[in-house]
Amino acid sequence: MTLFTASGSLPRHQYVSVCGAFIGFNADEWFPAVWFGLHSHPGRAWGCTVLLECGAVYRDLPPHALAFCTDPDPWTIKDAQEWDCYGSQFSLHTYDYLDGLTAIVRAADAELGAEYLFTAIPIGDAYTHAPGQAKEFMFLRTDGGRMTIQPTNRVLFRDKSFTTVPRWLPLRRSESVYSCE
């Protein structure tokens, strides 16, 4: 893992479409792009950095501006991301075990099918030091062609060789700090 302050490269680039409304065109136009970077600024949504087909780099697109197809489901910022970023330092990681697994995701008020892309792990902010607040953010591609960024308690993974019937359990947050000295 690499520590990023403010911006970093994705574990692997993603081919996406960008809604024209976010880059100065009509909302019903979608433009091919390569999503390759991510930016974190406290109090804001994750910012996506893309290379547009024309060769221009566009920075800090909100996650609901991107889609993995040209006819995606309608989407809002609340569908795309549960909480604003709360720090500027993070690490991006793809868990080998989760790579390519499908999931059930709670995004806003709906449950959706999705596929795991990678995880953003905040580092060095006040929340990551509190056991009950420490979160990793899963980036997932929904079955409807959109991106959603959810904490681990809003994602259920399907592993055909291990999981039985995915179901939401009332798991409690860890409130303890453990130390061996």
Side-chain angles (χ1 to χ4, degrees):
M1 287 193 283
T2 303
L3 170 66
F4 297 109
T5 299
S7 298
S9 295
L10 300 186
R12 60 180 167 255
H13 63 274
Q14 301 284 323
Y15 291 93
V16 297
S17 295
V18 175
C19 177
F22 293 91
I23 57 173
F25 296 93
N26 293 325
D28 58 352
E29 291 182 83
W30 290 88
F31 294 84
V34 177
W35 174 35
F36 67 90
L38 197 62
H39 181 253
S40 177
H41 190 304
R44 297 183 191 172
W46 287 96
C48 301
T49 303
V50 301
L51 174 66
L52 297 170
E53 193 175 42
C54 68
V57 171
Y58 207 96
R59 188 168 182 260
D60 278 341
L61 286 165
H64 66 297
L66 305 184
F68 294 95
C69 60
T70 55
D71 60 340
D73 288 346
W75 213 238
T76 68
I77 189 67
K78 268 315 254 183
D79 296 318
Q81 187 171 338
E82 181 66 17
W83 292 297
D84 285 337
C85 298
Y86 47 78
S88 60
Q89 292 187 328
F90 61 97
S91 182
L92 298 180
H93 182 69
T94 301
Y95 289 107
D96 291 340
Y97 179 69
L98 299 177
D99 195 16
L101 286 184
T102 60
I104 300 169
V105 179
R106 284 187 173 164
D109 295 326
E111 287 190 9
L112 307 166
E115 181 182 338
Y116 175 78
L117 297 172
F118 61 90
T119 301
I121 305 164
I123 298 170
D125 57 79
Y127 297 102
T128 58
H129 297 293
Q133 294 297 317
K135 296 173 180 62
E136 291 186 350
F137 295 94
M138 304 282 181
F139 282 66
L140 301 114
R141 176 186 340 195
T142 71
D143 292 347
R146 299 306 278 226
M147 177 179 18
T148 191
I149 305 160
Q150 299 296 329
T152 55
N153 66 331
R154 297 180 65 85
V155 182
L156 293 176
F157 286 97
R158 296 182 187 114
D159 176 349
K160 293 178 184 178
S161 68
F162 181 70
T163 56
T164 53
V165 178
R167 65 181 192 269
W168 302 102
L169 295 175
L171 301 173
R172 68 174 174 82
R173 290 184 186 167
S174 174
E175 298 294 334
S176 301
V177 173
Y178 300 94
S179 178
C180 62
E181 288 191 69

